[in-house]
Amino acid sequence: MVEEQLRRREILDQRVLEAMARIPRHQFVSADYQSGAYDDRPLPIGEGQTISQPYMVALMTESLGLKGAERVLEIGTGSGYQTAILAELSRATFTVERIAALTRKAQQILHELGYENIFFFTGDGTKGWPEKAPFDGIIVTAGAPEIPDTLKYQLADGGRLVIPVGPRYSQTLYKVTRKGEQFIQEESTGCVFVPLVGDFGWGKE
Ligand code: SAM
């Protein structure tokens, strides 16, 4: 997975590559999908949600530019796989998931794997986690109709927000860097994520 799907597609951050080589992705999917856990695609994790494609996890993580001392907020815990990578690469990871059953499952596996620097919350992540802000990095792993101001203003100065933005079934990945009261926005690749459902995201169907 690391050689063929990541290094070959120019994921260069050595710490990201090492973390993804180390973390047992198959443990984050059900028995039915374990044989395909390292394939180049997202997989179902129940509740109508998915574990993201390895390349997208690597690209989004690399965009945060983590060095090890950061406090990071993740919106969309899902299986907990991306959470594990963030926990390996930063000081503390705060993760928010709107579906309680997914939070519980992720919490259990991440506890079994021995992580002690992850803090979980079940609720609407479009509001961020104001009590724990500011964050050096924020990663949103579901597609938003636009970039929520709530999240931008929970960034520390110099902090980065990575978020897929666009119509419900096709988005573009954005990186927003905070410089004081300015927010510098960069676009990267096209992507497809499940919808970010909440007060500052999509409404429920
Ligand atoms: N990072 C995950 C992983 O590695 O498995 C991928 C998660 S999946 C692509 C997106 C997740 O975002 C889903 O679990 C979904 O329930 C969650 N989600 C959607 N809207 C949300 C919101 N407003 N707040 C928190 N989580 C949300």
Side-chain angles (χ1 to χ4, degrees):
M1 177 185 89
V2 168
E3 282 311 315
E4 285 173 23
Q5 298 170 38
L6 308 185
R7 221 187 283 275
R8 222 176 262 178
R9 277 189 228 161
E10 313 235 318
I11 300 295
L12 301 173
D13 185 326
Q14 199 53 33
R15 295 180 71 239
V16 173
L17 294 169
E18 282 168 12
M20 291 193 61
R22 218 169 24 242
I23 294 166
R25 185 170 158 93
H26 62 277
Q27 292 192 26
F28 292 85
V29 298
S30 66
D32 291 350
Y33 292 103
Q34 284 193 353
S35 62
Y38 298 88
D39 291 354
D40 185 19
R41 61 190 174 105
L43 290 172
I45 54 170
E47 311 290 334
Q49 307 303 322
T50 53
I51 177 172
S52 305
Q53 174 198 23
Y55 173 67
M56 198 46 68
V57 173
L59 185 66
M60 292 176 80
T61 309
E62 188 172 65
S63 302
L64 290 176
L66 301 174
K67 302 283 180 259
E70 296 84 357
R71 299 169 76 256
V72 179
L73 174 67
E74 177 191 34
I75 308 302
T77 314
S79 68
Y81 176 68
Q82 170 80 74
T83 322
I85 288 159
L86 297 171
E88 292 267 338
L89 300 177
S90 65
R91 179 158 57 91
T93 298
F94 300 83
T95 185
V96 182
E97 170 57 55
R98 61 182 280 271
I99 300 173
L102 293 178
T103 304
R104 276 198 299 274
K105 227 193 272 180
Q107 210 164 1
Q108 189 185 335
I109 163 102
L110 290 164
H111 175 72
E112 280 166 21
L113 290 173
Y115 291 101
E116 291 180 348
N117 60 344
I118 302 175
F119 304 89
F120 297 85
F121 180 73
T122 301
D124 178 5
T126 66
K127 296 176 184 161
W129 194 338
E131 298 81 4
K132 305 291 183 189
F135 302 100
D136 306 297
I138 301 179
I139 182 169
V140 181
T141 68
E146 52 192 48
I147 302 173
D149 277 349
T150 41
L151 299 182
K152 287 184 359 188
Y153 282 99
Q154 288 179 32
L155 283 174
D157 197 8
R160 295 166 179 191
L161 162 67
V162 183
I163 180 168
V165 181
R168 214 162 171 123
Y169 300 103
S170 92
Q171 302 93 34
T172 302
L173 198 61
Y174 280 78
K175 180 167 93 178
V176 180
T177 306
R178 181 170 192 172
K179 299 266 184 238
E181 289 312 295
Q182 281 196 313
F183 295 91
I184 297 142
Q185 207 165 293
E186 294 164 71
E187 273 183 43
S188 67
T189 182
C191 51
V192 182
F193 277 83
V194 294
L196 181 72
V197 178
D199 283 3
F200 304 104
W202 295 100
K204 287 189 197 134
E205 297 248 281

PDB file of all heavy atoms in Angstrom, residues 30-57:
ATOM      1  N   SER A  30     -14.629  -4.399   9.288  1.00  0.00           N
ATOM      2  CA  SER A  30     -15.240  -5.644   9.763  1.00  0.00           C
ATOM      3  C   SER A  30     -14.596  -6.839   9.054  1.00  0.00           C
ATOM      4  O   SER A  30     -13.963  -6.682   8.005  1.00  0.00           O
ATOM      5  CB  SER A  30     -16.742  -5.612   9.508  1.00  0.00           C
ATOM      6  OG  SER A  30     -16.953  -5.610   8.116  1.00  0.00           O
ATOM      7  N   ALA A  31     -14.822  -8.038   9.613  1.00  0.00           N
ATOM      8  CA  ALA A  31     -14.215  -9.268   9.081  1.00  0.00           C
ATOM      9  C   ALA A  31     -14.493  -9.412   7.582  1.00  0.00           C
ATOM     10  O   ALA A  31     -13.620  -9.846   6.812  1.00  0.00           O
ATOM     11  CB  ALA A  31     -14.746 -10.464   9.850  1.00  0.00           C
ATOM     12  N   ASP A  32     -15.680  -9.014   7.140  1.00  0.00           N
ATOM     13  CA  ASP A  32     -16.074  -9.146   5.729  1.00  0.00           C
ATOM     14  C   ASP A  32     -15.141  -8.400   4.780  1.00  0.00           C
ATOM     15  O   ASP A  32     -15.035  -8.745   3.603  1.00  0.00           O
ATOM     16  CB  ASP A  32     -17.468  -8.552   5.506  1.00  0.00           C
ATOM     17  CG  ASP A  32     -18.531  -9.372   6.175  1.00  0.00           C
ATOM     18  OD1 ASP A  32     -18.204 -10.479   6.631  1.00  0.00           O
ATOM     19  OD2 ASP A  32     -19.680  -8.896   6.245  1.00  0.00           O
ATOM     20  N   TYR A  33     -14.531  -7.337   5.252  1.00  0.00           N
ATOM     21  CA  TYR A  33     -13.739  -6.478   4.363  1.00  0.00           C
ATOM     22  C   TYR A  33     -12.238  -6.555   4.633  1.00  0.00           C
ATOM     23  O   TYR A  33     -11.458  -5.873   3.974  1.00  0.00           O
ATOM     24  CB  TYR A  33     -14.211  -5.024   4.492  1.00  0.00           C
ATOM     25  CG  TYR A  33     -15.599  -4.829   3.929  1.00  0.00           C
ATOM     26  CD1 TYR A  33     -16.692  -4.729   4.775  1.00  0.00           C
ATOM     27  CD2 TYR A  33     -15.810  -4.788   2.562  1.00  0.00           C
ATOM     28  CE1 TYR A  33     -17.968  -4.565   4.269  1.00  0.00           C
ATOM     29  CE2 TYR A  33     -17.078  -4.633   2.036  1.00  0.00           C
ATOM     30  CZ  TYR A  33     -18.160  -4.520   2.894  1.00  0.00           C
ATOM     31  OH  TYR A  33     -19.412  -4.373   2.384  1.00  0.00           O
ATOM     32  N   GLN A  34     -11.825  -7.400   5.586  1.00  0.00           N
ATOM     33  CA  GLN A  34     -10.420  -7.370   5.987  1.00  0.00           C
ATOM     34  C   GLN A  34      -9.461  -7.718   4.857  1.00  0.00           C
ATOM     35  O   GLN A  34      -8.378  -7.153   4.766  1.00  0.00           O
ATOM     36  CB  GLN A  34     -10.198  -8.271   7.203  1.00  0.00           C
ATOM     37  CG  GLN A  34     -10.717  -7.573   8.443  1.00  0.00           C
ATOM     38  CD  GLN A  34     -10.284  -8.192   9.743  1.00  0.00           C
ATOM     39  OE1 GLN A  34      -9.669  -9.250   9.748  1.00  0.00           O
ATOM     40  NE2 GLN A  34     -10.626  -7.542  10.837  1.00  0.00           N
ATOM     41  N   SER A  35      -9.878  -8.627   3.963  1.00  0.00           N
ATOM     42  CA  SER A  35      -8.956  -9.029   2.891  1.00  0.00           C
ATOM     43  C   SER A  35      -8.701  -7.860   1.925  1.00  0.00           C
ATOM     44  O   SER A  35      -7.687  -7.840   1.239  1.00  0.00           O
ATOM     45  CB  SER A  35      -9.496 -10.237   2.139  1.00  0.00           C
ATOM     46  OG  SER A  35     -10.709  -9.874   1.538  1.00  0.00           O
ATOM     47  N   GLY A  36      -9.621  -6.887   1.873  1.00  0.00           N
ATOM     48  CA  GLY A  36      -9.436  -5.743   0.964  1.00  0.00           C
ATOM     49  C   GLY A  36      -9.015  -4.476   1.683  1.00  0.00           C
ATOM     50  O   GLY A  36      -9.049  -3.389   1.105  1.00  0.00           O
ATOM     51  N   ALA A  37      -8.595  -4.617   2.942  1.00  0.00           N
ATOM     52  CA  ALA A  37      -8.347  -3.424   3.768  1.00  0.00           C
ATOM     53  C   ALA A  37      -7.232  -2.531   3.225  1.00  0.00           C
ATOM     54  O   ALA A  37      -7.220  -1.336   3.496  1.00  0.00           O
ATOM     55  CB  ALA A  37      -8.028  -3.840   5.203  1.00  0.00           C
ATOM     56  N   TYR A  38      -6.289  -3.102   2.464  1.00  0.00           N
ATOM     57  CA  TYR A  38      -5.151  -2.300   1.971  1.00  0.00           C
ATOM     58  C   TYR A  38      -5.319  -1.930   0.496  1.00  0.00           C
ATOM     59  O   TYR A  38      -4.391  -1.443  -0.135  1.00  0.00           O
ATOM     60  CB  TYR A  38      -3.828  -3.041   2.235  1.00  0.00           C
ATOM     61  CG  TYR A  38      -3.616  -3.244   3.733  1.00  0.00           C
ATOM     62  CD1 TYR A  38      -4.118  -4.362   4.390  1.00  0.00           C
ATOM     63  CD2 TYR A  38      -2.975  -2.262   4.485  1.00  0.00           C
ATOM     64  CE1 TYR A  38      -3.983  -4.514   5.766  1.00  0.00           C
ATOM     65  CE2 TYR A  38      -2.830  -2.396   5.860  1.00  0.00           C
ATOM     66  CZ  TYR A  38      -3.341  -3.530   6.490  1.00  0.00           C
ATOM     67  OH  TYR A  38      -3.215  -3.658   7.852  1.00  0.00           O
ATOM     68  N   ASP A  39      -6.535  -2.174  -0.051  1.00  0.00           N
ATOM     69  CA  ASP A  39      -6.798  -1.813  -1.449  1.00  0.00           C
ATOM     70  C   ASP A  39      -6.929  -0.298  -1.594  1.00  0.00           C
ATOM     71  O   ASP A  39      -7.189   0.416  -0.622  1.00  0.00           O
ATOM     72  CB  ASP A  39      -8.106  -2.461  -1.932  1.00  0.00           C
ATOM     73  CG  ASP A  39      -7.982  -3.976  -2.043  1.00  0.00           C
ATOM     74  OD1 ASP A  39      -6.862  -4.484  -1.855  1.00  0.00           O
ATOM     75  OD2 ASP A  39      -9.022  -4.630  -2.284  1.00  0.00           O
ATOM     76  N   ASP A  40      -6.827   0.132  -2.858  1.00  0.00           N
ATOM     77  CA  ASP A  40      -6.820   1.557  -3.186  1.00  0.00           C
ATOM     78  C   ASP A  40      -8.257   2.111  -3.293  1.00  0.00           C
ATOM     79  O   ASP A  40      -8.675   2.576  -4.339  1.00  0.00           O
ATOM     80  CB  ASP A  40      -6.086   1.695  -4.537  1.00  0.00           C
ATOM     81  CG  ASP A  40      -5.898   3.131  -4.943  1.00  0.00           C
ATOM     82  OD1 ASP A  40      -5.980   4.018  -4.078  1.00  0.00           O
ATOM     83  OD2 ASP A  40      -5.681   3.368  -6.151  1.00  0.00           O
ATOM     84  N   ARG A  41      -9.028   2.019  -2.220  1.00  0.00           N
ATOM     85  CA  ARG A  41     -10.422   2.496  -2.268  1.00  0.00           C
ATOM     86  C   ARG A  41     -10.987   2.622  -0.860  1.00  0.00           C
ATOM     87  O   ARG A  41     -10.455   2.008   0.073  1.00  0.00           O
ATOM     88  CB  ARG A  41     -11.289   1.539  -3.097  1.00  0.00           C
ATOM     89  CG  ARG A  41     -11.345   0.150  -2.519  1.00  0.00           C
ATOM     90  CD  ARG A  41     -12.010  -0.820  -3.494  1.00  0.00           C
ATOM     91  NE  ARG A  41     -11.917  -2.186  -2.984  1.00  0.00           N
ATOM     92  CZ  ARG A  41     -12.943  -2.846  -2.456  1.00  0.00           C
ATOM     93  NH1 ARG A  41     -14.127  -2.297  -2.368  1.00  0.00           N
ATOM     94  NH2 ARG A  41     -12.778  -4.083  -2.024  1.00  0.00           N
ATOM     95  N   PRO A  42     -12.075   3.395  -0.747  1.00  0.00           N
ATOM     96  CA  PRO A  42     -12.759   3.437   0.555  1.00  0.00           C
ATOM     97  C   PRO A  42     -13.531   2.134   0.776  1.00  0.00           C
ATOM     98  O   PRO A  42     -13.781   1.400  -0.188  1.00  0.00           O
ATOM     99  CB  PRO A  42     -13.740   4.613   0.413  1.00  0.00           C
ATOM    100  CG  PRO A  42     -13.832   4.925  -1.036  1.00  0.00           C
ATOM    101  CD  PRO A  42     -12.700   4.250  -1.757  1.00  0.00           C
ATOM    102  N   LEU A  43     -13.899   1.829   2.004  1.00  0.00           N
ATOM    103  CA  LEU A  43     -14.665   0.611   2.305  1.00  0.00           C
ATOM    104  C   LEU A  43     -15.782   0.966   3.295  1.00  0.00           C
ATOM    105  O   LEU A  43     -15.624   1.887   4.101  1.00  0.00           O
ATOM    106  CB  LEU A  43     -13.754  -0.423   2.977  1.00  0.00           C
ATOM    107  CG  LEU A  43     -12.670  -1.068   2.129  1.00  0.00           C
ATOM    108  CD1 LEU A  43     -11.750  -1.913   3.012  1.00  0.00           C
ATOM    109  CD2 LEU A  43     -13.292  -1.926   1.027  1.00  0.00           C
ATOM    110  N   PRO A  44     -16.885   0.204   3.264  1.00  0.00           N
ATOM    111  CA  PRO A  44     -17.971   0.462   4.220  1.00  0.00           C
ATOM    112  C   PRO A  44     -17.553   0.129   5.656  1.00  0.00           C
ATOM    113  O   PRO A  44     -16.811  -0.840   5.872  1.00  0.00           O
ATOM    114  CB  PRO A  44     -19.085  -0.494   3.774  1.00  0.00           C
ATOM    115  CG  PRO A  44     -18.662  -1.058   2.469  1.00  0.00           C
ATOM    116  CD  PRO A  44     -17.191  -0.898   2.343  1.00  0.00           C
ATOM    117  N   ILE A  45     -18.029   0.947   6.600  1.00  0.00           N
ATOM    118  CA  ILE A  45     -17.744   0.664   8.024  1.00  0.00           C
ATOM    119  C   ILE A  45     -19.035   0.582   8.837  1.00  0.00           C
ATOM    120  O   ILE A  45     -19.018   0.632  10.061  1.00  0.00           O
ATOM    121  CB  ILE A  45     -16.823   1.749   8.643  1.00  0.00           C
ATOM    122  CG1 ILE A  45     -17.399   3.166   8.447  1.00  0.00           C
ATOM    123  CG2 ILE A  45     -15.410   1.636   8.084  1.00  0.00           C
ATOM    124  CD1 ILE A  45     -16.681   4.253   9.241  1.00  0.00           C
ATOM    125  N   GLY A  46     -20.192   0.477   8.126  1.00  0.00           N
ATOM    126  CA  GLY A  46     -21.477   0.431   8.825  1.00  0.00           C
ATOM    127  C   GLY A  46     -22.058   1.829   8.962  1.00  0.00           C
ATOM    128  O   GLY A  46     -21.380   2.828   8.711  1.00  0.00           O
ATOM    129  N   GLU A  47     -23.362   1.889   9.315  1.00  0.00           N
ATOM    130  CA  GLU A  47     -24.078   3.166   9.508  1.00  0.00           C
ATOM    131  C   GLU A  47     -24.063   4.019   8.238  1.00  0.00           C
ATOM    132  O   GLU A  47     -24.200   5.247   8.307  1.00  0.00           O
ATOM    133  CB  GLU A  47     -23.464   3.990  10.667  1.00  0.00           C
ATOM    134  CG  GLU A  47     -23.233   3.245  11.966  1.00  0.00           C
ATOM    135  CD  GLU A  47     -24.521   2.884  12.678  1.00  0.00           C
ATOM    136  OE1 GLU A  47     -25.539   3.573  12.487  1.00  0.00           O
ATOM    137  OE2 GLU A  47     -24.512   1.879  13.432  1.00  0.00           O
ATOM    138  N   GLY A  48     -23.851   3.393   7.062  1.00  0.00           N
ATOM    139  CA  GLY A  48     -23.826   4.139   5.800  1.00  0.00           C
ATOM    140  C   GLY A  48     -22.556   4.956   5.606  1.00  0.00           C
ATOM    141  O   GLY A  48     -22.504   5.825   4.734  1.00  0.00           O
ATOM    142  N   GLN A  49     -21.516   4.696   6.388  1.00  0.00           N
ATOM    143  CA  GLN A  49     -20.288   5.510   6.338  1.00  0.00           C
ATOM    144  C   GLN A  49     -19.126   4.674   5.793  1.00  0.00           C
ATOM    145  O   GLN A  49     -19.260   3.464   5.581  1.00  0.00           O
ATOM    146  CB  GLN A  49     -19.960   6.061   7.728  1.00  0.00           C
ATOM    147  CG  GLN A  49     -21.117   6.808   8.367  1.00  0.00           C
ATOM    148  CD  GLN A  49     -21.612   7.967   7.513  1.00  0.00           C
ATOM    149  OE1 GLN A  49     -20.827   8.667   6.867  1.00  0.00           O
ATOM    150  NE2 GLN A  49     -22.919   8.175   7.490  1.00  0.00           N
ATOM    151  N   THR A  50     -17.981   5.336   5.578  1.00  0.00           N
ATOM    152  CA  THR A  50     -16.838   4.654   4.961  1.00  0.00           C
ATOM    153  C   THR A  50     -15.533   4.991   5.676  1.00  0.00           C
ATOM    154  O   THR A  50     -15.418   6.043   6.304  1.00  0.00           O
ATOM    155  CB  THR A  50     -16.667   5.113   3.484  1.00  0.00           C
ATOM    156  OG1 THR A  50     -16.617   6.540   3.454  1.00  0.00           O
ATOM    157  CG2 THR A  50     -17.793   4.622   2.601  1.00  0.00           C
ATOM    158  N   ILE A  51     -14.562   4.072   5.534  1.00  0.00           N
ATOM    159  CA  ILE A  51     -13.166   4.382   5.888  1.00  0.00           C
ATOM    160  C   ILE A  51     -12.561   4.902   4.586  1.00  0.00           C
ATOM    161  O   ILE A  51     -12.733   4.295   3.522  1.00  0.00           O
ATOM    162  CB  ILE A  51     -12.424   3.133   6.437  1.00  0.00           C
ATOM    163  CG1 ILE A  51     -10.950   3.435   6.728  1.00  0.00           C
ATOM    164  CG2 ILE A  51     -12.526   1.939   5.524  1.00  0.00           C
ATOM    165  CD1 ILE A  51     -10.230   2.277   7.460  1.00  0.00           C
ATOM    166  N   SER A  52     -11.871   6.049   4.636  1.00  0.00           N
ATOM    167  CA  SER A  52     -11.412   6.700   3.408  1.00  0.00           C
ATOM    168  C   SER A  52     -10.298   5.901   2.732  1.00  0.00           C
ATOM    169  O   SER A  52      -9.578   5.127   3.376  1.00  0.00           O
ATOM    170  CB  SER A  52     -10.912   8.112   3.729  1.00  0.00           C
ATOM    171  OG  SER A  52     -11.917   8.836   4.397  1.00  0.00           O
ATOM    172  N   GLN A  53     -10.151   6.140   1.428  1.00  0.00           N
ATOM    173  CA  GLN A  53      -9.086   5.535   0.615  1.00  0.00           C
ATOM    174  C   GLN A  53      -7.718   5.905   1.225  1.00  0.00           C
ATOM    175  O   GLN A  53      -7.517   7.063   1.632  1.00  0.00           O
ATOM    176  CB  GLN A  53      -9.226   6.149  -0.779  1.00  0.00           C
ATOM    177  CG  GLN A  53      -8.182   5.799  -1.774  1.00  0.00           C
ATOM    178  CD  GLN A  53      -8.194   6.803  -2.940  1.00  0.00           C
ATOM    179  OE1 GLN A  53      -8.660   7.932  -2.793  1.00  0.00           O
ATOM    180  NE2 GLN A  53      -7.687   6.372  -4.062  1.00  0.00           N
ATOM    181  N   PRO A  54      -6.772   4.961   1.296  1.00  0.00           N
ATOM    182  CA  PRO A  54      -5.469   5.250   1.910  1.00  0.00           C
ATOM    183  C   PRO A  54      -4.795   6.497   1.344  1.00  0.00           C
ATOM    184  O   PRO A  54      -4.259   7.315   2.090  1.00  0.00           O
ATOM    185  CB  PRO A  54      -4.641   3.987   1.610  1.00  0.00           C
ATOM    186  CG  PRO A  54      -5.648   2.906   1.437  1.00  0.00           C
ATOM    187  CD  PRO A  54      -6.873   3.544   0.876  1.00  0.00           C
ATOM    188  N   TYR A  55      -4.831   6.672   0.017  1.00  0.00           N
ATOM    189  CA  TYR A  55      -4.174   7.836  -0.597  1.00  0.00           C
ATOM    190  C   TYR A  55      -4.760   9.149  -0.070  1.00  0.00           C
ATOM    191  O   TYR A  55      -4.042  10.103   0.211  1.00  0.00           O
ATOM    192  CB  TYR A  55      -4.303   7.764  -2.119  1.00  0.00           C
ATOM    193  CG  TYR A  55      -3.786   9.015  -2.802  1.00  0.00           C
ATOM    194  CD1 TYR A  55      -2.430   9.331  -2.777  1.00  0.00           C
ATOM    195  CD2 TYR A  55      -4.670   9.888  -3.441  1.00  0.00           C
ATOM    196  CE1 TYR A  55      -1.956  10.495  -3.376  1.00  0.00           C
ATOM    197  CE2 TYR A  55      -4.196  11.047  -4.046  1.00  0.00           C
ATOM    198  CZ  TYR A  55      -2.846  11.342  -4.003  1.00  0.00           C
ATOM    199  OH  TYR A  55      -2.378  12.489  -4.592  1.00  0.00           O
ATOM    200  N   MET A  56      -6.086   9.187   0.059  1.00  0.00           N
ATOM    201  CA  MET A  56      -6.735  10.415   0.528  1.00  0.00           C
ATOM    202  C   MET A  56      -6.356  10.690   1.993  1.00  0.00           C
ATOM    203  O   MET A  56      -6.117  11.835   2.381  1.00  0.00           O
ATOM    204  CB  MET A  56      -8.254  10.249   0.356  1.00  0.00           C
ATOM    205  CG  MET A  56      -9.037  11.518   0.379  1.00  0.00           C
ATOM    206  SD  MET A  56      -8.386  12.883  -0.622  1.00  0.00           S
ATOM    207  CE  MET A  56      -8.626  12.277  -2.284  1.00  0.00           C
ATOM    208  N   VAL A  57      -6.275   9.640   2.807  1.00  0.00           N
ATOM    209  CA  VAL A  57      -5.846   9.787   4.205  1.00  0.00           C
ATOM    210  C   VAL A  57      -4.426  10.376   4.235  1.00  0.00           C
ATOM    211  O   VAL A  57      -4.141  11.320   4.976  1.00  0.00           O
ATOM    212  CB  VAL A  57      -5.876   8.417   4.929  1.00  0.00           C
ATOM    213  CG1 VAL A  57      -5.266   8.515   6.319  1.00  0.00           C
ATOM    214  CG2 VAL A  57      -7.306   7.874   5.006  1.00  0.00           C
TER     215      VAL A  57
END
